[in-house]
Amino acid sequence: MCGIIGITSNKSVSAAIINSLRKLEYRGYDSAGIATLSNNEIFELKAEGRVDNLEKNLSISNMKGNVGIGHVRWATHGIPNNINAHPHSSDTVSVVHNGIIENSTILKKFLVSKGHNFKSQTDTEVIVHLLTEYLKTDELIVAITKTLKQLHGSFALGIIFKKQPDLLVGARRGSPLAVGYGPNENYLGSDSYALKSMTNKITYLDDGEFCLLKKDQVEFFNAYGKKINKKVLELSSNEAIYDKGDFKHFMAKEIEEQPITLKNGIREYVDNINNDINIYNFPWQISEISSIMLIGCGTAYHACLMAKYWFENLTSLDITVDIASEFRYRKNKFKPSTLYVFVSQSGETADTYAALDLCNKNNAKTCAIVNVIESSIARDSNFVLPIHCGPEIGVASTKAFLGQMLILYMMGLKLGFMNKDINKIDYVNKIKDLKKLPELISQTLLTDDKIQTVTATFNKAKGSMFLGRGFSYPIALEGALKLKELSYIHAEGYPAGEMKHGPLALIENGMPVVVLAPRDDYYKKTISNMQEVIARGAKVLLITNKSKDEVFSENIWETIEVETSNNDLLPFLLTIPLQKLAYYSALKKGYDIDKPRNLAKSVTVE
Ligand code: F6R
């Protein structure tokens, strides 16, 4: 959350900073700002709302300076307005910050007692004044180390100094930060995505480290101010995949890309000659693992929950699932025979990272399923299974969800086979079925018209429900999450069997209820639950799979049929109409689909 960019160059930097801020907007879009340094003066411009608003300010084109920092904000301390927007500056330094300073109130008291005046409601401003205070007496490196030592919480920082003409400083604890190398210029960015248009040579800062960048020099330091060496990584770069193409929104593009991304995922892991799944270099013997714990947040958590159903069917291992923000504060009993699996599109989610860190500190076996392979979660796990679905820009996760489910399903299949829980024939048949999945997704993507017509009812409703049993239950949760985050309609996902235990009281005449009832082992039970909500006035949108058998139920409002596959794979197909329902519903309401209110793509604060 929040995006940071910094550039030190032999030419003016403001246009390049604005350009990079646009790429970073998916991380936060409450407000934006930029500060540059020229002739020992710091120039600062900020605007509430999008980068567009910042760029409308005419003085931006006249902003001089060969060194500068920029920021897009996702508010934590203080409302999103001009004053609270970053950068925050004193007459000595200017700072952009991603993260939360937990002891800012105490630090502020101390600084006010020293005569410092605060302008904003942000926690960030204490960093500005601490640095200003220490720089009165200390030389630069000492002032930086002293400041960082005082801060509790998480941060990625970009800093420029009035008296240091071409210097840009970066620091990291908890929130990601990367350094990029260019010709006669160097960069700082809160992720490689922002830097990719300028360079593919990158170094990631680790927790506690800071760096000093000049246009032709990069130096790294540890938390004690001692110089260290760091590796330069080369990133693959393909700018075209960051483009919306002919689509109106990234989300629409990402939904339609799903057959291709699944094909890529299958190609990466399935050995076509031997009909086998390669989970490359799996570092343990299967006999060393007796249980698996799956951990994630939001949509990634739903993928974990889905995996629990698959893993329990495919393996004899004990499977548990947890939300990362709960797991990290639980009194966990770490066992050497448990494999902890962390699922995250960005690989930077603060809670998921903290859960991983806790496991690492307890010497647990850890595995990351991530989309961004250079991410913190990937780097700090024992073992990584990349999703291979390309950058996901829309804030609401779509193709990454299917990608996460794909990897988890293949992992469950492979572990089940390695553990002799499923036989060779079943294993090979399931792999053969899996290879047909991208085509089935393509076919299911064609069911568009009906979804567009039902959205009007959802958009008028006070609230809605999504019901499913067994394999369909995690998908019901995901469908409800997509609808609420994009179209701001109250939506609850429930196990269909739970309705009688309370939620049935919410059903009233005309309430739209999505029932996921594919023809699997739970079908008849779910249909009974569906009849109970219809009897109480619900307008049921039934989502099932194609079959020669009719659905025996009266008064179903609308039915959508997805393609048919083996039962394991139906969750992938059921997800498609739910993604589209959320998309079209938000489209009709005219909402900002790729950047829903109050949200951000990469949740790097707790
Ligand atoms: C919802 C959504 C979020 C993310 C969650 C975890 O559409 O995208 O719920 O799934 O913030 O993010 P990652 O997967 O990056 O850890």
Side-chain angles (χ1 to χ4, degrees), residues 107 110-111 126-134 147 150-151:
L107 292 173
F110 159 74
L111 288 158
V126 297
I127 307 169
V128 174
H129 292 289
L130 273 178
L131 271 170
T132 306
E133 181 63 26
Y134 290 128
T147 300
Q150 295 275 327
L151 306 177

Side-chain angles (χ1 to χ4, degrees), residues 192-206:
S192 56
Y193 176 50
L195 301 180
K196 263 188 174 169
S197 60
M198 300 184 283
T199 182
N200 67 342
K201 291 198 170 52
I202 293 228
T203 298
Y204 288 97
L205 262 72
D206 286 310

Side-chain angles (χ1 to χ4, degrees), residues 40-80:
N40 290 333
E41 278 303 319
I42 292 173
F43 298 92
E44 191 188 271
L45 266 183
K46 313 196 225 186
E48 197 180 321
R50 302 289 161 87
V51 176
D52 275 347
N53 294 354
L54 181 68
E55 212 183 7
K56 272 182 208 147
N57 192 319
L58 292 178
S59 12
I60 207 131
S61 49
N62 299 325
M63 248 180 128
K64 290 196 192 102
N66 293 1
V67 57
I69 46 180
H71 189 265
V72 283
R73 180 167 185 246
W74 186 87
T76 57
H77 285 59
I79 56 165

Side-chain angles (χ1 to χ4, degrees), residues 297-300 343-347 349 395-397 404 481-482 485 603:
C297 300
T299 290
V343 180
S344 173
Q345 187 284 127
S346 61
T349 300
V395 164
S397 189
Q404 289 159 354
L481 177 64
K482 285 287 97 89
E485 73 180 314
V603 186

